[in-house]
Amino acid sequence: MSAGASEIKALRSVLEVTRKLGATFDLDVMLTEVVDAARRVLDADRGTVFLYDENSDELVVRVATKLGSLRIPANKGIVGESAMTRRLINVPDCYADERFNRDIDKQTGYRSRCMLTIPLIGFEDTLVGVLQILNKNDGVFDEQDEFVAAALAAQAAVVLHRAKLIESMIASEKLDREITVARDVQMGTLPKEMPEVEGYGFAGAFSPTDQTGGDLYDVVKLADDRLFLLMGDATGHGIGPALSATQVRAMLRVALRLGAGLDEVFVNINDQLVEDLPEDRFVTAFFGVLDTANHAIRFHSAGQGPIKHYHAATGSYDWHEPSTFPLGYMKQDDLGQPVSLRLERGDIVGLISDGIYEYESEVGLQFGQKGIAAVIDTMPGGSAEQLVAAIMHAARLHGGAAPQADDITILLVRREA
């Protein structure tokens, strides 16, 4: 067969490969097709495709011939040189080339004789990866092989780039769906409606930074005119903290159904979180019991603060600091006595996360206790629902164009005037 006829046959094979690649969007299938086609068209023994990982700046083997998982820096070895220079590299004698890494041969027991390494360049000169072909069955790779390999690589790079983009889009859409489910689950754990108790008003709000967040609140009616109040903030943002927040709420509900008291609930949930959470994770939380007959709240504040108490009679404020360590930080052997406060007519207790206190303006000024007090001072007779809405509005107005940096949760308890 003449050289021209041989080239035409090879190019037809390349076009056939391109047609096959256009029929599938599965990246692994495409990679296998590229390797098999390169071996077949170039009459070679082995082939490997290295995909470029932008995040780690590495070349990663995803599909190879008799070669396991492998990651190499994108600037190392012959593969790295081909990727960085965007040039085809033909090595007729691997062991005579100082750039060749013999370790892989030692690991696999394979003997590399000659090698073609071709960069895969996609749309807009994007580095997709590198195609490497080993050991031509008859001699070494020549100029015609280089020509055919370059044509194959050019076609393969475009479809592989497309496949990577599609795979990334599918993964992103799948993650979005999973996050949406997680958000629905988390939102479903929040109180659907506040309890109706004569002489009291309750209101809450939750606004995560991401689709899910690490904050939570709950109001649970107990026997004998009592209610359990919960507000918490798990470290971080996103799905992980949301799971921690949901776990706290679920454990609380179970403990209350079993008849546990305030101290028992706190200690048992804390000790369980010590076992479950990584060392760098914890949950700040307010655990309190409101006795509406005696108008008193007893609470433990695990790293959660300040707890706002507005005194309607004097227009003054108490800001209660945390009374103990955050949940999951360390096991509690001696919890100590809970903090007690009494609600007079018109008084307001506010459980407010640091997403409100630390809400920053465009110049970095925090909303703080003054911002909350300013809202209440302007409408001291407002209902719990009105005050929660006003605090949220004032914080966002204070922030201006600055983005919300942390999850926001508010739970207000107001004794009617």
Side-chain angles (χ1 to χ4, degrees):
M1 183 182 296
S2 65
S6 178
E7 287 183 1
I8 291 173
K9 182 180 179 181
L11 289 176
R12 283 177 178 171
S13 297
V14 170
L15 293 175
E16 178 63 18
V17 172
T18 304
R19 185 187 65 79
K20 287 184 178 180
L21 292 176
T24 179
F25 292 110
D26 187 278
L27 183 56
D28 288 333
V29 172
M30 288 184 174
L31 292 169
T32 301
E33 287 282 357
V34 169
V35 171
D36 290 345
R39 293 170 56 209
R40 184 172 60 253
V41 172
L42 298 172
D43 189 26
D45 183 48
R46 289 193 179 185
T48 305
V49 174
F50 296 80
L51 290 181
Y52 179 58
D53 185 341
E54 295 181 17
N55 296 325
S56 62
D57 194 29
E58 292 178 315
L59 291 163
V60 184
V61 174
R62 181 153 164 175
V63 171
T65 304
K66 297 180 181 179
L67 184 63
S69 175
L70 180 66
R71 302 179 74 96
I72 63 172
N75 60 351
K76 297 296 184 182
I78 296 174
V79 175
E81 181 178 329
S82 177
M84 294 299 101
T85 62
R86 312 294 179 91
R87 291 190 302 107
L88 180 150
I89 299 176
N90 188 348
V91 178
D93 185 349
C94 292
Y95 280 77
D97 194 311
E98 61 182 12
R99 298 170 297 179
F100 178 69
N101 182 2
R102 304 184 184 189
D103 291 340
I104 296 177
D105 278 9
K106 291 179 181 179
Q107 294 172 12
T108 61
Y110 186 75
R111 174 77 179 188
S112 300
R113 293 186 295 100
C114 58
M115 175 191 300
L116 262 185
T117 307
I118 314 101
L120 301 173
I121 309 301
F123 304 112
E124 299 180 349
D125 199 40
T126 301
L127 177 64
V128 178
V130 176
L131 171 63
Q132 193 167 72
I133 309 300
L134 293 170
N135 291 2
K136 187 175 177 65
N137 290 321
D138 183 17
V140 297
F141 298 107
D142 56 23
E143 289 186 7
Q144 181 179 333
D145 294 324
E146 293 180 9
F147 172 77
V148 173
L152 175 61
Q155 297 297 315
V158 172
V159 292
L160 289 177
H161 191 189
R162 180 194 63 181
K164 283 184 68 177
L165 292 175
I166 292 173
E167 185 179 70
S168 178
M169 289 171 59
I170 291 173
S172 178
E173 290 174 0
K174 181 180 179 182
L175 178 61
D176 286 343
R177 289 195 298 270
E178 291 175 351
I179 291 175
T180 299
V181 171
R183 178 183 175 86
D184 291 344
V185 170
Q186 183 178 25
M187 291 302 184
T189 65
L190 299 176
K192 302 295 186 296
E193 57 186 21
M194 288 298 179
E196 294 185 7
V197 179
E198 185 177 356
Y200 279 87
F202 305 89
F206 171 55
S207 175
T209 306
D210 301 320
Q211 286 183 284
T212 58
D215 284 11
L216 74 153
Y217 72 90
D218 203 358
V219 181
V220 185
K221 255 191 167 182
L222 306 175
D224 305 324
D225 300 314
R226 295 178 303 126
L227 296 98
F228 199 102
L229 308 175
L230 168 67
M231 199 278 280
D233 181 359
T235 52
H237 312 293
I239 293 179
L243 292 173
S244 297
T246 305
Q247 180 185 7
V248 169
R249 191 260 186 186
M251 288 191 293
L252 169 68
R253 288 277 181 159
V254 171
L256 293 179
R257 286 179 181 177
L258 295 175
L262 175 61
D263 291 358
E264 293 175 290
V265 167
F266 187 98
V267 170
N268 281 282
I269 291 179
N270 173 75
D271 290 355
Q272 186 62 54
L273 290 177
V274 170
E275 296 180 12
D276 293 346
L277 295 180
E279 291 184 358
D280 62 341
R281 296 287 176 177
F282 55 86
V283 180
T284 62
F286 174 98
F287 283 60
V289 175
L290 167 63
D291 187 332
T292 59
N294 296 322
H295 310 297
I297 295 179
R298 298 167 56 250
F299 68 87
H300 295 292
S301 181
Q304 186 66 52
I307 307 303
K308 176 191 69 66
H309 182 189
Y310 168 72
H311 297 273
T314 61
S316 60
Y317 294 83
D318 288 334
W319 304 92
H320 296 274
E321 295 302 318
S323 59
T324 188
F325 296 105
L327 299 174
Y329 183 77
M330 61 180 291
K331 291 200 172 184
Q332 292 281 7
D333 297 322
D334 183 15
L335 183 58
Q337 291 297 314
V339 179
S340 296
L341 56 86
R342 179 175 173 79
L343 277 74
E344 304 295 344
R345 293 187 179 278
D347 282 9
I348 303 167
V349 171
L351 316 178
I352 303 170
S353 71
D354 53 10
I356 285 287
Y357 287 116
E358 298 175 2
Y359 206 125
E360 291 189 351
S361 67
E362 297 173 32
V363 296
L365 181 65
Q366 293 187 350
F367 188 64
Q369 298 174 14
K370 290 183 178 179
I372 295 168
V375 172
I376 295 175
D377 288 344
T378 58
M379 49 187 304
S383 68
E385 292 88 350
Q386 291 170 335
L387 289 170
V388 166
I391 291 172
M392 294 284 285
H393 176 72
R396 297 194 187 283
L397 195 63
H398 169 83
Q404 178 183 329
D406 199 359
D407 300 330
I408 289 175
T409 299
I410 304 175
L411 176 58
L412 290 190
V413 178
R414 175 186 176 86
R415 185 182 174 192
E416 302 298 346

